Amino acid sequence: MSNLTTLLALADSRLPTGGHVHSGGIEEAVTSGLVVDLASLRAFLVRRIRTTGLVCASLAVAVHRGALSASAGESGDLETDARTPSPAARQASRAQGRGLVRLGRRIWSDEDWDALGPTPHLAVAAGVVGRAGRLADQHTALSVVYTTMTGSATAAQRLLALDPGDVAALTFDLSALCEQTAAEAAKDVTDLSDPLLDVLAQRHVERDRPLFAS
């Protein structure tokens, strides 16, 4: 599998990592009336790319390079916890990380997946997968940023019954921002959080019978 094909595969929403059951806060944003149409969805996605996407991608790059340890309970895990104030967001990150590792075991069996523990953060798992797949570290960052955007965009399309063509056009429109954010993430680990997204994550787990896990 070529590096480009690996990148495309990791960015595919059909990848069986469990990411499709997570909305990245968009379900709670829709329920709260913060996202109601294409324009407000765009504002949400920009915010999510520039905060959650940037932080997660920068951590993934650091793990990819070996600057942060991928082992359970060590630097990659601890640094991700420190940048994820919401317990609900941490739980969602670990659930998605577990799904990515499950897939990684099947594709790159020579990697020491056991060292990551049973529930690594998504950023840590993404860093190890990028390295195992021989991606350039900036491509690891891009796969993280891109899926941070598309996961929420697809969920919003379902929740608001938006035209799929409109949502696809929006993701194309934000592609330059994804590239820019990935490049920034590759420079250094980012110290950033978003109080709004943290609040939405916490509210979501308290809601009765949500459609998405987060």
Side-chain angles (χ1 to χ4, degrees):
M1 183 182 291
S2 71
N3 293 351
L4 179 57
T5 303
T6 300
L7 175 61
L8 292 172
L10 290 173
D12 193 330
S13 62
R14 296 169 298 177
L15 203 69
T17 60
H20 65 284
V21 302
H22 293 270
S23 78
I26 198 72
E27 181 174 10
E28 190 60 32
V30 168
T31 303
S32 301
L34 298 175
V35 174
V36 297
D37 54 17
L38 206 63
S40 52
L41 173 60
R42 188 186 194 283
F44 182 93
L45 293 178
V46 168
R47 184 170 186 150
R48 184 158 162 75
I49 290 166
R50 295 298 299 157
T51 56
T52 303
L54 175 61
V55 172
C56 188
S58 72
L59 290 162
V61 167
V63 170
H64 181 133
R65 291 172 175 167
L68 291 178
S69 170
S71 297
E74 294 189 9
S75 57
D77 188 67
L78 296 175
E79 293 290 344
T80 307
D81 264 347
R83 290 164 174 77
T84 316
S86 162
R90 291 182 201 166
Q91 183 178 359
S93 170
R94 292 187 183 278
Q96 292 176 80
R98 182 178 65 241
L100 186 55
V101 165
R102 182 174 176 271
L103 181 66
R105 286 182 187 276
R106 296 190 178 196
I107 302 172
W108 299 286
S109 57
D110 292 339
E111 191 70 35
D112 183 12
W113 299 105
D114 290 339
L116 277 67
T119 55
H121 276 293
L122 177 59
V124 175
V128 176
V129 163
R131 186 174 63 216
R134 300 179 185 273
L135 292 180
D137 51 21
Q138 189 166 327
H139 283 169
T140 293
L142 184 58
S143 72
V144 171
V145 174
Y146 178 78
T147 53
T148 296
M149 171 185 67
T150 55
S152 292
T154 302
Q157 177 183 308
R158 294 168 61 187
L159 291 164
L160 294 171
L162 297 172
D163 185 323
D166 288 340
V167 175
L170 174 57
T171 60
F172 274 101
D173 182 51
L174 294 177
S175 61
L177 179 62
C178 288
E179 294 268 6
Q180 176 188 338
T181 303
E184 186 176 339
K187 294 177 182 177
D188 199 2
V189 177
T190 304
D191 293 302
L192 188 66
S193 66
D194 188 325
L196 174 61
L197 295 183
D198 290 333
V199 169
L200 292 177
Q202 287 304 121
R203 282 184 185 173
H204 186 79
V205 296
E206 298 167 2
R207 186 167 298 284
D208 185 37
R209 298 181 181 178
L211 179 63
F212 292 90
S214 71

Short mmCIF file of all heavy atoms in Angstrom, two decimals, residues 115-188:
data_model
loop_
_atom_site.label_atom_id
_atom_site.label_comp_id
_atom_site.label_asym_id
_atom_site.label_seq_id
_atom_site.Cartn_x
_atom_site.Cartn_y
_atom_site.Cartn_z
N ALA A 115 1.65 -2.13 23.83
CA ALA A 115 2.26 -1.08 24.65
C ALA A 115 1.32 0.11 24.84
O ALA A 115 1.44 0.85 25.82
CB ALA A 115 3.56 -0.61 24.01
N LEU A 116 0.36 0.28 23.91
CA LEU A 116 -0.55 1.40 24.00
C LEU A 116 -1.61 1.22 25.07
O LEU A 116 -2.28 2.18 25.44
CB LEU A 116 -1.25 1.65 22.65
CG LEU A 116 -0.48 2.46 21.60
CD1 LEU A 116 0.76 1.70 21.11
CD2 LEU A 116 -1.37 2.80 20.42
N GLY A 117 -1.78 -0.01 25.56
CA GLY A 117 -2.83 -0.29 26.52
C GLY A 117 -4.16 -0.50 25.82
O GLY A 117 -4.28 -0.32 24.60
N PRO A 118 -5.20 -0.86 26.57
CA PRO A 118 -6.48 -1.20 25.95
C PRO A 118 -7.26 0.00 25.40
O PRO A 118 -8.06 -0.16 24.48
CB PRO A 118 -7.26 -1.86 27.10
CG PRO A 118 -6.66 -1.29 28.34
CD PRO A 118 -5.20 -1.08 28.02
N THR A 119 -7.03 1.19 25.94
CA THR A 119 -7.80 2.35 25.49
C THR A 119 -6.91 3.58 25.32
O THR A 119 -6.99 4.54 26.09
CB THR A 119 -8.94 2.69 26.49
OG1 THR A 119 -8.37 2.87 27.80
CG2 THR A 119 -9.98 1.59 26.53
N PRO A 120 -6.07 3.60 24.30
CA PRO A 120 -5.24 4.79 24.06
C PRO A 120 -6.08 5.94 23.52
O PRO A 120 -7.13 5.72 22.92
CB PRO A 120 -4.25 4.30 23.00
CG PRO A 120 -5.03 3.28 22.24
CD PRO A 120 -5.89 2.58 23.27
N HIS A 121 -5.62 7.14 23.74
CA HIS A 121 -6.28 8.30 23.13
C HIS A 121 -6.17 8.20 21.61
O HIS A 121 -5.23 7.61 21.07
CB HIS A 121 -5.62 9.59 23.60
CG HIS A 121 -6.14 10.09 24.90
ND1 HIS A 121 -7.43 10.55 25.06
CD2 HIS A 121 -5.54 10.21 26.13
CE1 HIS A 121 -7.60 10.94 26.31
NE2 HIS A 121 -6.47 10.74 26.98
N LEU A 122 -7.13 8.82 20.93
CA LEU A 122 -7.14 8.83 19.47
C LEU A 122 -5.86 9.43 18.91
O LEU A 122 -5.30 8.91 17.94
CB LEU A 122 -8.35 9.61 18.97
CG LEU A 122 -8.48 9.79 17.45
CD1 LEU A 122 -8.55 8.44 16.75
CD2 LEU A 122 -9.69 10.64 17.11
N ALA A 123 -5.37 10.51 19.50
CA ALA A 123 -4.15 11.15 19.00
C ALA A 123 -2.96 10.22 19.08
O ALA A 123 -2.14 10.16 18.16
CB ALA A 123 -3.87 12.43 19.80
N VAL A 124 -2.86 9.48 20.18
CA VAL A 124 -1.75 8.55 20.36
C VAL A 124 -1.84 7.42 19.32
O VAL A 124 -0.86 7.08 18.66
CB VAL A 124 -1.75 7.97 21.79
CG1 VAL A 124 -0.67 6.90 21.94
CG2 VAL A 124 -1.52 9.09 22.81
N ALA A 125 -3.03 6.85 19.20
CA ALA A 125 -3.22 5.77 18.23
C ALA A 125 -2.95 6.26 16.80
O ALA A 125 -2.32 5.56 16.00
CB ALA A 125 -4.64 5.22 18.33
N ALA A 126 -3.39 7.47 16.49
CA ALA A 126 -3.19 8.02 15.14
C ALA A 126 -1.71 8.22 14.85
O ALA A 126 -1.25 8.00 13.72
CB ALA A 126 -3.95 9.33 14.99
N GLY A 127 -0.95 8.64 15.86
CA GLY A 127 0.49 8.81 15.67
C GLY A 127 1.19 7.51 15.37
O GLY A 127 2.05 7.43 14.48
N VAL A 128 0.81 6.46 16.09
CA VAL A 128 1.41 5.15 15.86
C VAL A 128 1.00 4.59 14.50
O VAL A 128 1.81 4.03 13.77
CB VAL A 128 1.02 4.17 16.99
CG1 VAL A 128 1.57 2.77 16.70
CG2 VAL A 128 1.55 4.66 18.33
N VAL A 129 -0.26 4.77 14.14
CA VAL A 129 -0.74 4.30 12.83
C VAL A 129 -0.03 5.05 11.70
O VAL A 129 0.38 4.44 10.70
CB VAL A 129 -2.27 4.48 12.73
CG1 VAL A 129 -2.73 4.40 11.28
CG2 VAL A 129 -2.98 3.42 13.55
N GLY A 130 0.13 6.36 11.84
CA GLY A 130 0.83 7.12 10.80
C GLY A 130 2.26 6.65 10.61
O GLY A 130 2.73 6.51 9.48
N ARG A 131 2.93 6.37 11.72
CA ARG A 131 4.31 5.87 11.65
C ARG A 131 4.35 4.47 11.05
O ARG A 131 5.18 4.17 10.19
CB ARG A 131 4.93 5.87 13.05
CG ARG A 131 6.41 5.50 13.08
CD ARG A 131 6.94 5.68 14.49
NE ARG A 131 6.28 4.78 15.42
CZ ARG A 131 6.00 5.09 16.69
NH1 ARG A 131 6.28 6.30 17.16
NH2 ARG A 131 5.43 4.21 17.48
N ALA A 132 3.45 3.61 11.50
CA ALA A 132 3.40 2.24 10.98
C ALA A 132 3.07 2.21 9.49
O ALA A 132 3.58 1.38 8.74
CB ALA A 132 2.37 1.42 11.75
N GLY A 133 2.23 3.16 9.06
CA GLY A 133 1.84 3.23 7.66
C GLY A 133 2.82 4.00 6.79
O GLY A 133 2.55 4.22 5.61
N ARG A 134 3.93 4.44 7.39
CA ARG A 134 4.99 5.16 6.68
C ARG A 134 4.50 6.45 6.04
O ARG A 134 4.94 6.85 4.95
CB ARG A 134 5.65 4.25 5.62
CG ARG A 134 6.28 2.99 6.20
CD ARG A 134 6.89 2.13 5.11
NE ARG A 134 7.39 0.87 5.64
CZ ARG A 134 8.60 0.69 6.15
NH1 ARG A 134 9.44 1.71 6.22
NH2 ARG A 134 8.98 -0.49 6.60
N LEU A 135 3.58 7.11 6.72
CA LEU A 135 3.16 8.42 6.26
C LEU A 135 4.20 9.46 6.65
O LEU A 135 4.93 9.31 7.63
CB LEU A 135 1.82 8.81 6.92
CG LEU A 135 0.57 8.03 6.55
CD1 LEU A 135 -0.62 8.59 7.33
CD2 LEU A 135 0.29 8.07 5.06
N ALA A 136 4.24 10.55 5.90
CA ALA A 136 4.96 11.73 6.37
C ALA A 136 4.22 12.25 7.60
O ALA A 136 2.99 12.14 7.67
CB ALA A 136 4.98 12.79 5.27
N ASP A 137 4.95 12.81 8.56
CA ASP A 137 4.27 13.22 9.78
C ASP A 137 3.19 14.28 9.53
O ASP A 137 2.15 14.28 10.19
CB ASP A 137 5.26 13.69 10.85
CG ASP A 137 6.26 14.73 10.35
OD1 ASP A 137 5.97 15.39 9.33
OD2 ASP A 137 7.31 14.88 10.99
N GLN A 138 3.39 15.15 8.55
CA GLN A 138 2.36 16.14 8.24
C GLN A 138 1.13 15.48 7.65
O GLN A 138 0.01 15.97 7.83
CB GLN A 138 2.89 17.22 7.31
CG GLN A 138 1.92 18.39 7.16
CD GLN A 138 2.54 19.61 6.52
OE1 GLN A 138 3.72 19.88 6.71
NE2 GLN A 138 1.76 20.34 5.75
N HIS A 139 1.29 14.36 6.96
CA HIS A 139 0.13 13.63 6.46
C HIS A 139 -0.63 12.95 7.59
O HIS A 139 -1.85 12.82 7.53
CB HIS A 139 0.57 12.61 5.40
CG HIS A 139 0.88 13.22 4.08
ND1 HIS A 139 1.50 12.54 3.06
CD2 HIS A 139 0.66 14.47 3.60
CE1 HIS A 139 1.63 13.33 2.01
NE2 HIS A 139 1.14 14.51 2.32
N THR A 140 0.10 12.51 8.62
CA THR A 140 -0.58 12.01 9.81
C THR A 140 -1.45 13.12 10.40
O THR A 140 -2.62 12.90 10.75
CB THR A 140 0.44 11.54 10.85
OG1 THR A 140 1.12 10.38 10.36
CG2 THR A 140 -0.23 11.18 12.18
N ALA A 141 -0.87 14.32 10.50
CA ALA A 141 -1.63 15.46 11.01
C ALA A 141 -2.85 15.76 10.14
O ALA A 141 -3.95 16.00 10.64
CB ALA A 141 -0.73 16.70 11.08
N LEU A 142 -2.67 15.70 8.83
CA LEU A 142 -3.77 16.01 7.91
C LEU A 142 -4.90 15.00 8.04
O LEU A 142 -6.08 15.37 8.02
CB LEU A 142 -3.26 16.04 6.47
CG LEU A 142 -4.27 16.45 5.40
CD1 LEU A 142 -4.85 17.83 5.68
CD2 LEU A 142 -3.61 16.41 4.02
N SER A 143 -4.57 13.73 8.19
CA SER A 143 -5.61 12.71 8.35
C SER A 143 -6.43 12.97 9.61
O SER A 143 -7.65 12.79 9.62
CB SER A 143 -5.01 11.31 8.38
OG SER A 143 -4.32 11.06 9.59
N VAL A 144 -5.77 13.41 10.68
CA VAL A 144 -6.47 13.70 11.94
C VAL A 144 -7.36 14.93 11.79
O VAL A 144 -8.54 14.91 12.17
CB VAL A 144 -5.46 13.91 13.08
CG1 VAL A 144 -6.17 14.43 14.34
CG2 VAL A 144 -4.73 12.61 13.40
N VAL A 145 -6.82 16.00 11.22
CA VAL A 145 -7.60 17.23 11.06
C VAL A 145 -8.79 16.99 10.14
O VAL A 145 -9.93 17.41 10.44
CB VAL A 145 -6.72 18.36 10.50
CG1 VAL A 145 -7.57 19.59 10.18
CG2 VAL A 145 -5.62 18.72 11.48
N TYR A 146 -8.55 16.31 9.03
CA TYR A 146 -9.61 16.07 8.05
C TYR A 146 -10.76 15.26 8.65
O TYR A 146 -11.94 15.61 8.49
CB TYR A 146 -9.03 15.36 6.84
CG TYR A 146 -10.05 15.02 5.77
CD1 TYR A 146 -10.53 15.99 4.90
CD2 TYR A 146 -10.56 13.73 5.66
CE1 TYR A 146 -11.47 15.69 3.94
CE2 TYR A 146 -11.51 13.42 4.70
CZ TYR A 146 -11.96 14.39 3.84
OH TYR A 146 -12.92 14.09 2.89
N THR A 147 -10.43 14.19 9.36
CA THR A 147 -11.50 13.36 9.94
C THR A 147 -12.18 14.05 11.12
O THR A 147 -13.35 13.78 11.39
CB THR A 147 -10.96 11.99 10.36
OG1 THR A 147 -9.82 12.15 11.22
CG2 THR A 147 -10.55 11.16 9.15
N THR A 148 -11.47 14.95 11.79
CA THR A 148 -12.11 15.76 12.82
C THR A 148 -13.23 16.59 12.20
O THR A 148 -14.30 16.76 12.79
CB THR A 148 -11.08 16.69 13.50
OG1 THR A 148 -10.11 15.90 14.18
CG2 THR A 148 -11.74 17.63 14.49
N MET A 149 -12.98 17.12 11.01
CA MET A 149 -13.98 17.90 10.31
C MET A 149 -15.10 17.03 9.75
O MET A 149 -16.29 17.28 9.99
CB MET A 149 -13.34 18.67 9.15
CG MET A 149 -14.35 19.34 8.23
SD MET A 149 -13.63 20.15 6.77
CE MET A 149 -13.02 18.74 5.84
N THR A 150 -14.74 15.99 9.01
CA THR A 150 -15.76 15.23 8.28
C THR A 150 -16.66 14.42 9.20
O THR A 150 -17.83 14.21 8.87
CB THR A 150 -15.11 14.28 7.25
OG1 THR A 150 -14.16 13.43 7.91
CG2 THR A 150 -14.42 15.08 6.16
N GLY A 151 -16.15 13.97 10.34
CA GLY A 151 -17.00 13.25 11.28
C GLY A 151 -18.16 14.11 11.74
O GLY A 151 -19.33 13.66 11.75
N SER A 152 -17.87 15.35 12.11
CA SER A 152 -18.92 16.27 12.55
C SER A 152 -19.81 16.70 11.38
O SER A 152 -21.03 16.85 11.54
CB SER A 152 -18.30 17.50 13.22
OG SER A 152 -17.68 17.15 14.44
N ALA A 153 -19.22 16.90 10.22
CA ALA A 153 -20.00 17.33 9.06
C ALA A 153 -21.01 16.27 8.66
O ALA A 153 -22.18 16.58 8.37
CB ALA A 153 -19.06 17.63 7.89
N THR A 154 -20.59 15.02 8.64
CA THR A 154 -21.49 13.93 8.27
C THR A 154 -22.61 13.77 9.29
O THR A 154 -23.77 13.53 8.93
CB THR A 154 -20.71 12.61 8.13
OG1 THR A 154 -19.68 12.78 7.15
CG2 THR A 154 -21.62 11.47 7.72
N ALA A 155 -22.26 13.91 10.57
CA ALA A 155 -23.28 13.81 11.62
C ALA A 155 -24.31 14.93 11.48
O ALA A 155 -25.52 14.70 11.62
CB ALA A 155 -22.62 13.86 12.99
N ALA A 156 -23.85 16.14 11.19
CA ALA A 156 -24.77 17.27 11.01
C ALA A 156 -25.68 17.06 9.82
O ALA A 156 -26.87 17.41 9.85
CB ALA A 156 -23.97 18.56 10.83
N GLN A 157 -25.14 16.49 8.77
CA GLN A 157 -25.95 16.20 7.58
C GLN A 157 -27.13 15.30 7.95
O GLN A 157 -28.26 15.54 7.52
CB GLN A 157 -25.09 15.52 6.53
CG GLN A 157 -25.82 15.11 5.26
CD GLN A 157 -24.89 14.38 4.31
OE1 GLN A 157 -23.81 14.87 3.98
NE2 GLN A 157 -25.30 13.20 3.88
N ARG A 158 -26.87 14.30 8.76
CA ARG A 158 -27.94 13.38 9.18
C ARG A 158 -28.92 14.05 10.14
O ARG A 158 -30.13 13.90 10.01
CB ARG A 158 -27.31 12.16 9.86
CG ARG A 158 -26.49 11.28 8.92
CD ARG A 158 -25.67 10.25 9.68
NE ARG A 158 -26.50 9.35 10.46
CZ ARG A 158 -26.03 8.44 11.30
NH1 ARG A 158 -24.70 8.35 11.48
NH2 ARG A 158 -26.84 7.65 11.96
N LEU A 159 -28.39 14.80 11.10
CA LEU A 159 -29.23 15.40 12.13
C LEU A 159 -30.12 16.51 11.60
O LEU A 159 -31.26 16.69 12.05
CB LEU A 159 -28.35 15.93 13.27
CG LEU A 159 -27.64 14.88 14.11
CD1 LEU A 159 -26.53 15.53 14.92
CD2 LEU A 159 -28.62 14.17 15.03
N LEU A 160 -29.61 17.29 10.65
CA LEU A 160 -30.35 18.44 10.12
C LEU A 160 -30.97 18.18 8.76
O LEU A 160 -31.58 19.07 8.19
CB LEU A 160 -29.41 19.65 10.02
CG LEU A 160 -28.90 20.21 11.35
CD1 LEU A 160 -27.80 21.26 11.09
CD2 LEU A 160 -30.04 20.82 12.16
N ALA A 161 -30.79 16.95 8.24
CA ALA A 161 -31.31 16.58 6.91
C ALA A 161 -30.83 17.58 5.85
O ALA A 161 -31.58 18.06 5.00
CB ALA A 161 -32.84 16.52 6.93
N LEU A 162 -29.53 17.88 5.91
CA LEU A 162 -28.95 18.81 4.95
C LEU A 162 -28.69 18.11 3.61
O LEU A 162 -28.55 16.88 3.56
CB LEU A 162 -27.62 19.35 5.50
CG LEU A 162 -27.71 20.18 6.77
CD1 LEU A 162 -26.31 20.49 7.29
CD2 LEU A 162 -28.48 21.48 6.52
N ASP A 163 -28.63 18.88 2.57
CA ASP A 163 -28.31 18.36 1.25
C ASP A 163 -26.86 17.84 1.26
O ASP A 163 -25.94 18.61 1.57
CB ASP A 163 -28.45 19.47 0.21
CG ASP A 163 -28.26 18.99 -1.22
OD1 ASP A 163 -27.41 18.10 -1.45
OD2 ASP A 163 -28.95 19.52 -2.11
N PRO A 164 -26.65 16.55 0.95
CA PRO A 164 -25.28 16.01 0.96
C PRO A 164 -24.32 16.78 0.06
O PRO A 164 -23.14 16.92 0.37
CB PRO A 164 -25.46 14.57 0.46
CG PRO A 164 -26.88 14.24 0.81
CD PRO A 164 -27.64 15.52 0.64
N GLY A 165 -24.84 17.29 -1.06
CA GLY A 165 -23.99 18.08 -1.96
C GLY A 165 -23.52 19.36 -1.30
O GLY A 165 -22.37 19.78 -1.48
N ASP A 166 -24.41 20.01 -0.52
CA ASP A 166 -24.03 21.23 0.18
C ASP A 166 -22.97 20.96 1.24
O ASP A 166 -22.02 21.73 1.40
CB ASP A 166 -25.26 21.86 0.85
CG ASP A 166 -26.22 22.48 -0.15
OD1 ASP A 166 -25.79 22.77 -1.28
OD2 ASP A 166 -27.40 22.68 0.22
N VAL A 167 -23.13 19.85 1.95
CA VAL A 167 -22.17 19.51 3.00
C VAL A 167 -20.82 19.15 2.37
O VAL A 167 -19.77 19.55 2.87
CB VAL A 167 -22.70 18.35 3.87
CG1 VAL A 167 -21.64 17.91 4.89
CG2 VAL A 167 -23.96 18.78 4.60
N ALA A 168 -20.85 18.42 1.27
CA ALA A 168 -19.60 18.08 0.58
C ALA A 168 -18.91 19.35 0.08
O ALA A 168 -17.69 19.49 0.20
CB ALA A 168 -19.89 17.13 -0.58
N ALA A 169 -19.68 20.27 -0.47
CA ALA A 169 -19.10 21.54 -0.94
C ALA A 169 -18.47 22.31 0.21
O ALA A 169 -17.41 22.94 0.05
CB ALA A 169 -20.17 22.38 -1.62
N LEU A 170 -19.10 22.25 1.38
CA LEU A 170 -18.55 22.92 2.55
C LEU A 170 -17.21 22.31 2.96
O LEU A 170 -16.26 23.05 3.28
CB LEU A 170 -19.56 22.83 3.70
CG LEU A 170 -19.10 23.37 5.06
CD1 LEU A 170 -18.68 24.82 4.94
CD2 LEU A 170 -20.22 23.21 6.08
N THR A 171 -17.12 21.00 2.93
CA THR A 171 -15.86 20.37 3.31
C THR A 171 -14.75 20.70 2.31
O THR A 171 -13.60 20.88 2.69
CB THR A 171 -16.00 18.84 3.47
OG1 THR A 171 -16.43 18.26 2.23
CG2 THR A 171 -17.01 18.50 4.56
N PHE A 172 -15.11 20.80 1.02
CA PHE A 172 -14.13 21.24 0.03
C PHE A 172 -13.68 22.67 0.32
O PHE A 172 -12.49 23.00 0.20
CB PHE A 172 -14.70 21.15 -1.38
CG PHE A 172 -14.55 19.80 -2.03
CD1 PHE A 172 -15.61 18.92 -2.09
CD2 PHE A 172 -13.34 19.41 -2.58
CE1 PHE A 172 -15.48 17.67 -2.67
CE2 PHE A 172 -13.19 18.17 -3.17
CZ PHE A 172 -14.26 17.29 -3.22
N ASP A 173 -14.62 23.51 0.69
CA ASP A 173 -14.32 24.90 0.98
C ASP A 173 -13.36 25.03 2.16
O ASP A 173 -12.55 25.97 2.21
CB ASP A 173 -15.62 25.65 1.29
CG ASP A 173 -15.40 27.12 1.55
OD1 ASP A 173 -14.75 27.79 0.72
OD2 ASP A 173 -15.88 27.62 2.59
N LEU A 174 -13.43 24.09 3.10
CA LEU A 174 -12.59 24.13 4.30
C LEU A 174 -11.29 23.34 4.13
O LEU A 174 -10.51 23.24 5.09
CB LEU A 174 -13.37 23.59 5.50
CG LEU A 174 -14.57 24.44 5.95
CD1 LEU A 174 -15.30 23.75 7.10
CD2 LEU A 174 -14.14 25.84 6.36
N SER A 175 -11.05 22.81 2.95
CA SER A 175 -9.86 21.98 2.75
C SER A 175 -8.56 22.77 2.96
O SER A 175 -7.60 22.25 3.53
CB SER A 175 -9.87 21.35 1.35
OG SER A 175 -9.86 22.35 0.34
N ALA A 176 -8.54 24.03 2.52
CA ALA A 176 -7.34 24.84 2.71
C ALA A 176 -7.06 25.07 4.19
O ALA A 176 -5.90 25.05 4.63
CB ALA A 176 -7.47 26.18 1.98
N LEU A 177 -8.11 25.27 4.97
CA LEU A 177 -7.95 25.43 6.42
C LEU A 177 -7.41 24.15 7.04
O LEU A 177 -6.57 24.20 7.95
CB LEU A 177 -9.28 25.82 7.06
CG LEU A 177 -9.26 25.99 8.58
CD1 LEU A 177 -8.31 27.11 9.00
CD2 LEU A 177 -10.67 26.26 9.12
N CYS A 178 -7.87 23.00 6.57
CA CYS A 178 -7.35 21.72 7.06
C CYS A 178 -5.86 21.59 6.77
O CYS A 178 -5.08 21.18 7.63
CB CYS A 178 -8.11 20.56 6.42
SG CYS A 178 -9.79 20.35 7.01
N GLU A 179 -5.45 21.94 5.57
CA GLU A 179 -4.04 21.89 5.19
C GLU A 179 -3.21 22.83 6.07
O GLU A 179 -2.13 22.47 6.56
CB GLU A 179 -3.87 22.28 3.71
CG GLU A 179 -4.50 21.32 2.73
CD GLU A 179 -3.53 20.25 2.25
OE1 GLU A 179 -2.39 20.21 2.78
OE2 GLU A 179 -3.91 19.46 1.38
N GLN A 180 -3.70 24.04 6.24
CA GLN A 180 -3.00 25.04 7.06
C GLN A 180 -2.88 24.56 8.51
O GLN A 180 -1.82 24.70 9.13
CB GLN A 180 -3.77 26.36 7.01
CG GLN A 180 -3.21 27.45 7.89
CD GLN A 180 -4.14 28.66 7.94
OE1 GLN A 180 -4.95 28.88 7.05
NE2 GLN A 180 -4.03 29.44 9.00
N THR A 181 -3.94 23.99 9.04
CA THR A 181 -3.94 23.52 10.42
C THR A 181 -3.00 22.34 10.60
O THR A 181 -2.28 22.25 11.60
CB THR A 181 -5.38 23.13 10.84
OG1 THR A 181 -6.24 24.26 10.66
CG2 THR A 181 -5.42 22.69 12.29
N ALA A 182 -2.97 21.44 9.62
CA ALA A 182 -2.05 20.31 9.68
C ALA A 182 -0.60 20.77 9.68
O ALA A 182 0.25 20.25 10.41
CB ALA A 182 -2.31 19.35 8.53
N ALA A 183 -0.31 21.77 8.85
CA ALA A 183 1.06 22.31 8.80
C ALA A 183 1.44 22.94 10.13
O ALA A 183 2.57 22.79 10.61
CB ALA A 183 1.16 23.33 7.68
N GLU A 184 0.50 23.63 10.75
CA GLU A 184 0.76 24.23 12.06
C GLU A 184 0.96 23.15 13.12
O GLU A 184 1.84 23.27 13.99
CB GLU A 184 -0.40 25.14 12.44
CG GLU A 184 -0.19 25.93 13.71
CD GLU A 184 -1.33 26.89 14.00
OE1 GLU A 184 -2.08 27.23 13.06
OE2 GLU A 184 -1.48 27.28 15.17
N ALA A 185 0.16 22.09 13.03
CA ALA A 185 0.27 21.00 14.00
C ALA A 185 1.62 20.31 13.93
O ALA A 185 2.12 19.79 14.93
CB ALA A 185 -0.85 19.98 13.76
N ALA A 186 2.21 20.29 12.74
CA ALA A 186 3.50 19.62 12.55
C ALA A 186 4.66 20.40 13.12
O ALA A 186 5.77 19.88 13.23
CB ALA A 186 3.72 19.36 11.06
N LYS A 187 4.43 21.66 13.53
CA LYS A 187 5.52 22.49 14.06
C LYS A 187 5.84 22.15 15.51
O LYS A 187 6.99 22.09 15.91
CB LYS A 187 5.15 23.96 13.94
CG LYS A 187 5.05 24.45 12.51
CD LYS A 187 4.62 25.92 12.47
CE LYS A 187 4.47 26.42 11.04
NZ LYS A 187 3.98 27.82 11.01
N ASP A 188 4.79 21.97 16.33
CA ASP A 188 5.01 21.73 17.76
C ASP A 188 3.70 21.30 18.39
O ASP A 188 2.62 21.51 17.82
CB ASP A 188 5.50 23.02 18.44
CG ASP A 188 6.18 22.76 19.77
OD1 ASP A 188 6.30 21.57 20.15
OD2 ASP A 188 6.59 23.73 20.43
#
